[in-house]
Amino acid sequence: MATYLDFEYKIKFIQEDIISAQVRHDEVALQSLQENLDKEVSKIFNNLSPFQKLQLARHTDRPYALDYINLLMRDKYEIHGDRHFRDDAAILCYIGYIGNEKVMVIGEQKGRGTKNKIKRNFGMPHPEGYRKALRAAKLAEKFNIPVLMLIDTPGAYPGIGAEERNQSEAIARNLLELSELKTPTISVVIGEGGSGGALAIGVADKFAMMRYSVFSVISPEGCSAILWNDPAKAEAATNAMKITSEDLKELDLIDDIIAEPLIGAHRDRDGAAAAIGEYFLEELTKLRAMSEEERMEARYKKLTGVGAYSE
């Protein structure tokens, strides 16, 4: 059963009426209801607050990395393990084809249902997950295969075991190695991009965000707890933190915003997957038109330009 947020309930009732009209084969009512739906979607989704966009980024029906992998890839094969400790199910690595392009896809997976969420550790990777991601990226580099990284995590796992296995070193190693990777790389925030857990697979030639995704150094709840000692002020923190795709594009911290369907990826998975696929193939063509030296120089300038300002 679909889940609706508070501000989506008018859409819910119209969609239920549409289903009823389809059952009755009432084409006149169906056309009228579809027009009403389009108007309501435009009215609601063109005027979303940052906190509402955060809710959409975390929506339980929003596609996760594995959903996009299944929709986009063909002849795919999963790569397991970091060859040091174990296979971290919070990180997925698949090699296969998107269109006619052979590609390595690395994604963070949250999981659905209690059993699967525990298996995926709620999308919070351990160090071995990031080491698996790096192993897959280096394999892609060896065979000159482009890399697509799908970010969706509340953050890297902060547990004792992760710290014992050197979580911070694993993230830092990925930042270094991915910045020097010779093959073309594209990273996309598909939902929630949290802190170093997102950065660990976020260093790329092109960094983009889905329309209703967020990217932040700390969760709004954590921010409000620190600043005001009150996690309930998460909405005020969200407004102040500038974590939406539009905010980050305006601050020149990301390259592009991917126009997922206006109604949201959680209502139109196929449309959202198509938008990612089209963006990846278009940007890959542009990157391949550059020499390796030009591409590496552009990546260097982008990474070193983050945070630069003039008075």
Side-chain angles (χ1 to χ4, degrees), residues 256-300:
D256 299 295
I257 298 173
I258 298 176
E260 68 179 89
L262 184 62
I263 198 171
H266 61 301
R267 301 279 174 246
D268 186 357
R269 292 188 177 195
D270 291 338
I276 292 178
E278 290 170 10
Y279 176 80
F280 172 74
L281 294 174
E282 287 175 6
E283 294 304 316
L284 181 60
T285 300
K286 295 176 185 176
L287 291 172
R288 285 211 168 124
M290 305 167 68
S291 67
E292 182 179 304
E293 292 75 17
E294 290 172 335
R295 185 163 44 77
M296 296 300 287
E297 179 64 20
R299 187 192 297 171
Y300 175 80

Side-chain angles (χ1 to χ4, degrees), residues 167-180:
Q167 182 75 285
S168 58
E169 186 277 339
I171 293 173
R173 173 63 59 182
N174 277 26
L175 297 180
L176 172 63
E177 296 283 357
L178 291 177
S179 69
E180 297 178 343

Side-chain angles (χ1 to χ4, degrees), residues 87-108:
D87 183 38
D88 185 359
I91 292 280
L92 300 171
C93 301
Y94 277 84
I95 188 169
Y97 290 86
I98 295 179
N100 294 321
E101 289 287 350
K102 185 177 288 185
V103 59
M104 178 73 74
V105 178
I106 300 169
E108 290 165 321

Side-chain angles (χ1 to χ4, degrees), residues 1-5 8-9 12 59-61 266-267:
M1 181 180 292
T3 302
Y4 289 83
L5 299 170
E8 292 183 296
Y9 264 88
K12 175 186 177 181
H59 200 288
T60 55
D61 295 335
H266 61 301
R267 301 279 174 246

